[in-house]
Amino acid sequence: MKSRLDKLLSANGFGSRKEIKRLLKDRVVAVNGVRRVDPSTDVDPELDAITLDGEPLRILTTVYLMLNKPAGVISSTEDPDHRTVIDVLGEPWASMDLFPIGRLDVDTEGLLVITNDGPLTHRLTSPKTGVDKTYYARLRDPVDDAALASYREAFRAGVPFRDGHVCLPAKIDRCGDEADGVIVTIQEGKYHQVKKMFYVVGNEVAYLKRESMGNLSLDPALKPGEFRELTSDELALLRGE
């Protein structure tokens, strides 16, 4: 699909539209070997070869990043008082029009997909599509067999919140032999949902990490704050293909 050259370069982190005009004037940007100085030049990133000072440019029209979100940053595109997940990415990603798929609480770690694909974001975050989000939770109180059975019954029925919202049915299992560690699977993304669910059943979340979304799991090699692009196979998993 064709796009204006300045819009395409700006979307890939080469600067604002104004800065792109200066770039085109001061440096050699060529399309299929022909220098271009007009920012309104139409180009097709899938068919045209775009170079900067003779070096090929990798132009992306859609971006899919897997971030192991660290604690202490918010799942937002901008905030005047806090560091955001976009700040974590740095350039050139931070200059692109990217946004996280869903949100994780400021103190929650784990899988966060960052993209500019609106339709995919809607599919993954709408409760109507029933996409699983799986979390590891370490709890304040150890969970014996009786407590686990009680939690399972409450989660399966749908935990009610004070505001009248009743959560969709959720699943809970032990995490190995951990006395206070559980795996929770939900299909919503309400504010502080997992924490509120445990509060209602009489426990408290001490640590929370999202492990997977749909069929996509967090890469265990990614440390908190690290990220990478999704592979084509991972993108297919995310799309449910």
Side-chain angles (χ1 to χ4, degrees):
M1 181 180 295
K2 287 190 174 184
S3 176
R4 285 174 55 112
L5 182 58
D6 59 348
K7 181 180 180 180
L8 200 61
L9 292 176
S10 180
N12 277 264
F14 289 93
S16 65
R17 294 286 189 93
K18 184 177 180 180
E19 291 169 334
I20 297 302
K21 289 182 180 180
R22 189 160 50 246
L23 173 70
L24 294 173
K25 178 182 177 181
D26 296 341
R27 301 176 67 180
V28 178
V29 176
V31 179
N32 298 325
V34 179
R35 182 175 184 177
R36 301 293 183 179
V37 295
D38 183 355
S40 67
T41 300
D42 283 336
V43 294
D44 187 331
E46 295 184 1
L47 300 176
D48 297 325
I50 305 172
T51 59
L52 174 62
D53 295 334
E55 294 296 323
L57 296 183
R58 181 167 177 252
I59 300 297
L60 301 172
T61 54
T62 50
V63 174
Y64 305 92
L65 303 176
M66 175 191 291
L67 168 69
N68 185 351
K69 178 192 170 297
V73 301
I74 62 173
S75 301
S76 180
T77 56
E78 58 182 21
D79 189 278
D81 302 315
H82 301 88
R83 191 171 182 232
T84 72
V85 292
I86 301 301
D87 295 327
V88 172
L89 300 181
E91 298 297 343
W93 311 106
S95 294
M96 299 181 185
D97 189 18
L98 305 180
F99 44 82
I101 296 182
R103 294 175 178 270
L104 294 178
D105 299 338
V106 64
D107 58 349
T108 300
E109 298 180 1
L111 175 65
L112 192 64
V113 176
I114 299 177
T115 185
N116 55 357
D117 188 333
L120 178 64
T121 299
H122 176 74
R123 192 188 80 79
L124 292 173
T125 56
S126 173
K128 295 180 180 179
T129 58
V131 175
D132 288 343
K133 290 89 174 176
T134 300
Y135 295 79
Y136 164 76
R138 187 169 66 246
L139 305 177
R140 176 195 63 198
D141 302 327
V143 181
D144 58 21
D145 290 343
L148 183 62
S150 176
Y151 295 169
R152 278 180 174 157
E153 182 178 354
F155 285 15
R156 188 183 303 116
V159 178
F161 291 164
R162 287 183 178 178
D163 62 4
H165 175 76
V166 178
C167 297
L168 291 176
K171 301 175 183 178
I172 179 171
D173 290 293
R174 290 194 184 280
C175 183
D177 296 328
E178 295 183 36
D180 56 357
V182 294
I183 300 296
V184 180
T185 301
I186 63 175
Q187 293 185 341
E188 298 173 280
K190 298 294 183 181
Y191 183 66
H192 290 329
Q193 179 173 338
V194 175
K195 296 175 183 177
K196 288 180 178 179
M197 288 169 63
F198 279 106
Y199 177 80
V200 171
V201 298
N203 211 325
E204 184 177 322
V205 174
Y207 172 80
L208 190 63
K209 178 180 181 180
R210 183 155 67 191
E211 299 283 359
S212 65
M213 176 181 286
N215 294 320
L216 178 68
S217 297
L218 177 66
D219 183 346
L222 288 179
K223 299 177 182 178
E226 293 184 341
F227 66 95
R228 62 168 175 78
E229 291 183 72
L230 293 184
T231 66
S232 58
D233 288 343
E234 288 172 333
L235 182 55
L237 289 174
L238 197 61
R239 288 173 170 164
E241 297 175 350

